[in-house]
């Protein structure tokens, strides 16, 4: 839930007086021209962009106090540094299951099964041992979708979800 949200960059209002309520089970698409503030709104909702005033809450908890990030998954347009780090498709999907609370414990059988199921859903199970940077851009997007789906989030946020998908 967003109420009277205002985001500024260098003193200029990028978003002003935005109100938005998203109910459980809803599918919402943000549409608008480039530069209209769609990504800024999403980044603010996820706590990645500070806001000047207003209220932002996730699952009824004010963003400043929200700590249950396991409920949220983001599919970014691209994974920063994907070409600089030699990581496999499988490792990329498994990385979506790591959280600060579980950082040092090995993934269990159910988590690995969820990752496998997610890769099968996006039809990339056979490529799980390949390096991420050897896949096409559309295949990389599908890996990022699998990474998000593996965590069974209650809130799935996708930035440009169909752009470049094979």
């Amino acid at each position: 839930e967003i109420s009277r949200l205002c985001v500024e960059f260098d003193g200029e209002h990028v978003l002003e007086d935005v109100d938005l309520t998203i109910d459980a089970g809803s599918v919402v698409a943000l549409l608008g021209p480039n530069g209209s503030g769609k990504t800024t709104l999403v980044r603010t909702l996820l706590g990645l962009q500070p806001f000047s005033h207003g209220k932002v809450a996730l699952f009824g908890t004010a963003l400043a106090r929200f700590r249950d990030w396991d409920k949220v998954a983001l599919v970014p347009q691209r994974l920063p540094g994907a070409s600089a780090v030699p990581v496999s498709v499988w490792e990329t999907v498994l990385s979506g299951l790591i959280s600060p609370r579980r950082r040092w414990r090995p993934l269990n059988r159910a988590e690995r099964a969820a990752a496998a199921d997610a890769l099968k859903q996006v039809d990339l199970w056979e490529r799980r041992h390949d390096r991420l940077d050897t896949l096409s851009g559309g295949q990389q997007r599908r890996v990022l979708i699998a990474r998000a789906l593996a965590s069974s989030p209650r809130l799935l946020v996708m930035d440009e979800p169909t752009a470049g998908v094979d």
Side-chain angles (χ1 to χ4, degrees):
E1 184 171 345
I2 295 172
S3 174
R4 303 209 45 178
L5 179 71
C6 179
V7 177
E8 296 179 4
F9 290 132
D10 298 324
E12 286 200 39
H13 290 228
V14 177
L15 299 174
E16 189 167 2
D17 269 343
V18 176
D19 293 312
L20 175 65
T21 300
I22 301 172
D23 296 319
S26 296
V27 175
V28 176
L30 296 176
L31 302 173
N34 290 342
S36 63
K38 300 179 302 290
T39 298
T40 298
L41 180 61
V42 169
R43 289 179 48 80
T44 304
L45 173 67
L46 297 175
L48 301 171
Q49 173 65 51
F51 55 96
S52 306
H53 64 270
K55 295 178 182 177
V56 178
L58 291 172
F59 302 103
T61 302
L63 188 60
R65 294 190 323 272
F66 186 77
R67 299 289 176 265
D68 207 2
W69 291 103
D70 290 349
K71 292 180 177 180
V72 181
L74 170 65
V75 177
Q77 286 187 41
R78 67 189 82 57
L79 192 59
S83 62
V85 179
V87 63
S88 72
V89 167
W90 182 241
E91 292 165 328
T92 302
V93 174
L94 291 178
S95 74
L97 298 170
I98 298 170
S99 71
R101 286 186 239 171
R102 312 182 298 198
R103 185 174 320 163
W104 305 114
R105 76 165 175 80
L107 297 174
N108 63 38
R109 184 174 292 170
E111 290 167 325
R112 290 178 177 279
D117 288 344
L119 269 175
K120 290 172 185 173
Q121 286 179 39
V122 299
D123 199 27
L124 287 172
W125 174 247
E126 301 301 322
R127 303 288 309 264
R128 69 188 176 280
H129 298 298
D130 294 356
R131 279 182 47 159
L132 181 64
D133 62 354
T134 65
L135 272 58
S136 71
Q139 289 170 323
Q140 288 181 20
R141 287 285 289 169
R142 288 170 30 214
V143 169
L144 294 177
I145 292 168
R147 181 178 182 263
L149 293 175
S151 66
S152 300
R154 288 190 54 210
L155 173 62
L156 178 60
V157 180
M158 303 176 79
D159 191 2
E160 302 278 347
T162 60
V165 174
D166 294 350

